Amino acid sequence: MEFGSKSKRRRKSRLLRHILFFGIVIGLVCWGAWALKPENFRPQKRWLRNAVTPLTSDIHITYHADGLYALNLTKNATVASKRENEPLLPASLAKLFVVQYATTVVENDAMVTASADALALLKPESSVAGIAAGKEYAVADLYAGMLVASGNDAAYVLADAVAQQTHPEIPDTDSRIAMFMDDVNDYARKMGWRKTKLYDPSGYDFSAVTSAADVADVCQLLLENEWFRDMVASPTYVITRPDSETQTFVNTNKFLLPDSTEYEPAVHGVKTGSLDGSYNLVALFTDEDEEYLIVSLGSDSDEARYDDVRYVMRSIDGEE
C-alpha cells in the first residue's frame, strides 16, 4: 500500500509538472505574439534596434515603413524622414497623382458617363466605389470615389473620360487610358517628381514607383484646394448623381472612423494604399494650430502603417 501511494504521488507530481510546463509554454507564446505587435513595447524596441545597429547606418530604422517623410506644413520644415527619396510601390496613392493631373485639364463639375469598357478593366479583388456603367457622374464625384473609397472603378472611368477630351482621336478604351497615363507621367516629370512612374490610374500595378517625398509634394498641391481638404477628411462622403440617386463612400482611412480602434480626432485625411503586402498611409495632422503631413510607404502590415504614423504624431505632441 505504501509503495502504491508513493507511485501515485510520483504520477501526480509528474502530471502537475507537465501541466505547469505546458502552461508556461502557452503563456510565453501568447505573450510573444502580443509583444510582436507593432504598437507594443515601442520604446524598448527602439532602444534595442539602436543598440544592435552600427552607428553608420540609417538612424531612422525604428520606423516599420521602408520610406517615411513627415513635414510641418505651417513652418515648412522636415520633422522626420527615412529614405524619403527611395522608389517604392505607390499602390492606391497613385490616385493622388492622377487626381492632381486631372484637375489641370478638366473642371470638377464636368459630367462624365461611366463607360462599361472602362469598368471592365477592373482587376480581381480591386477596391471599388460602386460606380455604375452608363450612369452620369460629376468629375468631383469620381475624385471622391478614388480618394475616399479608394475605388479603382472610379479611377478607370475618370482616366477614360479625361483621355476622350485630351485625345479624341484615340478610338479604344485601353489605348486612351495608356495615353492618359503617359500624360500623367509627363506631368510628374514637369513637376519634378523624378521618383514617380505610374502605369495604371488605380495604382493596381506592381511596376509603378513613387517616393515618400513625391507623395508629400503632390499632397501639398492638392491641399491648396478646399474641396480636396473637405473630401479626404470625411469619414463618409455622399454624392448625388443627376438621376437623383445617391451613393455613400466610406473612407478607407481608419484614423477618420470614430468606431475604429485607430481613430485619431486630430487627423484630417489624407489616404491609404496597399498592394501585395505593402501598406501605405498619408495623414494630415494638426497639433497646437500647426499642420503636419506624414507619409509612410512600405510597411508590412495594416497595423504597422498606423503605428508608424501614430508614433510620429505622438513624438510631435510630446507623448513619446
Side-chain angles (χ1 to χ4, degrees):
M1 292 294 294
E2 185 178 346
F3 176 80
S5 297
K6 289 181 179 179
S7 178
K8 288 180 181 179
R9 285 197 297 270
R10 283 196 295 269
R11 285 197 299 271
K12 185 176 181 181
S13 178
R14 283 198 298 270
L15 178 61
L16 289 173
R17 287 198 299 269
H18 289 158
I19 292 172
L20 179 61
F21 173 77
F22 285 114
I24 292 172
V25 170
I26 292 170
L28 287 173
V29 169
C30 293
W31 182 88
W34 179 84
L36 286 174
K37 289 185 177 180
E39 66 272 18
N40 297 325
F41 288 116
R42 187 64 182 260
Q44 290 81 1
K45 290 174 183 176
R46 181 182 187 186
W47 177 87
L48 180 61
R49 288 171 181 167
N50 286 336
V52 300
T53 303
L55 293 177
T56 56
S57 68
D58 189 342
I59 63 171
H60 301 295
I61 57 159
T62 55
Y63 298 116
H64 302 289
D66 292 326
L68 184 139
Y69 198 38
L71 302 171
N72 182 322
L73 299 182
T74 306
K75 295 181 177 178
N76 191 29
T78 300
V79 174
S81 65
K82 174 186 175 182
R83 296 195 289 273
E84 68 274 17
N85 292 308
E86 181 172 328
L88 296 167
L89 196 66
S92 279
L93 298 189
K95 295 181 175 79
L96 295 166
F97 295 94
V98 168
V99 169
Q100 173 56 32
Y101 164 70
T103 63
T104 68
V105 293
V106 65
E107 297 296 327
N108 281 19
D109 58 359
M111 300 308 298
V112 168
T113 301
S115 161
D117 290 339
L119 291 171
L121 297 176
L122 274 173
K123 298 171 184 174
E125 300 182 3
S126 287
S127 57
V128 295
I131 302 302
K135 299 295 184 179
E136 273 195 310
Y137 294 86
V139 165
D141 294 342
L142 294 177
Y143 291 163
M146 295 168 66
L147 298 170
V148 178
S150 200
N152 293 2
D153 47 357
Y156 291 125
V157 168
L158 176 75
D160 182 50
V162 171
Q164 287 184 51
Q165 294 190 35
T166 55
H167 301 284
E169 74 283 1
I170 301 178
D172 65 287
T173 300
D174 285 344
S175 298
R176 280 197 296 267
I177 291 181
M179 183 59 72
F180 174 86
M181 294 312 298
D182 285 345
D183 292 342
V184 170
N185 287 314
D186 286 343
Y187 178 75
R189 284 191 293 271
K190 183 181 77 172
M191 298 302 294
W193 302 326
R194 303 298 179 188
K195 303 297 183 181
T196 299
K197 183 74 172 179
L198 308 172
Y199 303 95
D200 186 297
S202 74
Y204 198 141
D205 172 47
F206 298 96
S207 301
V209 291
T210 192
S211 68
D214 282 1
V215 172
D217 204 30
V218 72
C219 282
Q220 288 180 84
L221 271 182
L222 287 164
L223 286 166
E224 293 176 5
N225 303 292
E226 200 61 37
W227 63 263
F228 177 83
R229 285 177 171 268
D230 292 341
M231 193 176 284
V232 298
S234 303
T236 58
Y237 193 90
V238 180
I239 65 168
T240 303
R241 301 195 310 252
D243 59 7
S244 298
E245 291 292 322
T246 61
Q247 286 183 244
T248 301
F249 303 139
V250 178
N251 209 307
T252 59
N253 188 345
K254 296 177 184 177
F255 278 150
L256 302 175
L257 306 180
D259 293 337
S260 171
T261 57
E262 304 288 1
Y263 178 61
E264 291 283 348
V267 172
H268 311 289
V270 176
K271 181 134 186 34
T272 65
S274 62
L275 186 65
D276 194 32
S278 179
Y279 293 82
N280 305 333
L281 178 62
V282 185
L284 182 67
F285 164 68
T286 57
D287 180 65
E288 296 184 354
D289 298 324
E290 292 187 355
E291 276 196 324
Y292 298 84
L293 184 68
I294 306 169
V295 180
S296 174
L297 301 182
S299 291
D300 60 7
S301 72
D302 182 50
E303 294 82 2
R305 63 176 165 181
Y306 285 99
D307 180 58
D308 263 356
V309 174
R310 183 179 290 105
Y311 183 67
V312 176
M313 291 191 294
R314 296 293 180 264
S315 299
I316 290 168
D317 64 24
E319 291 187 22
E320 289 286 354

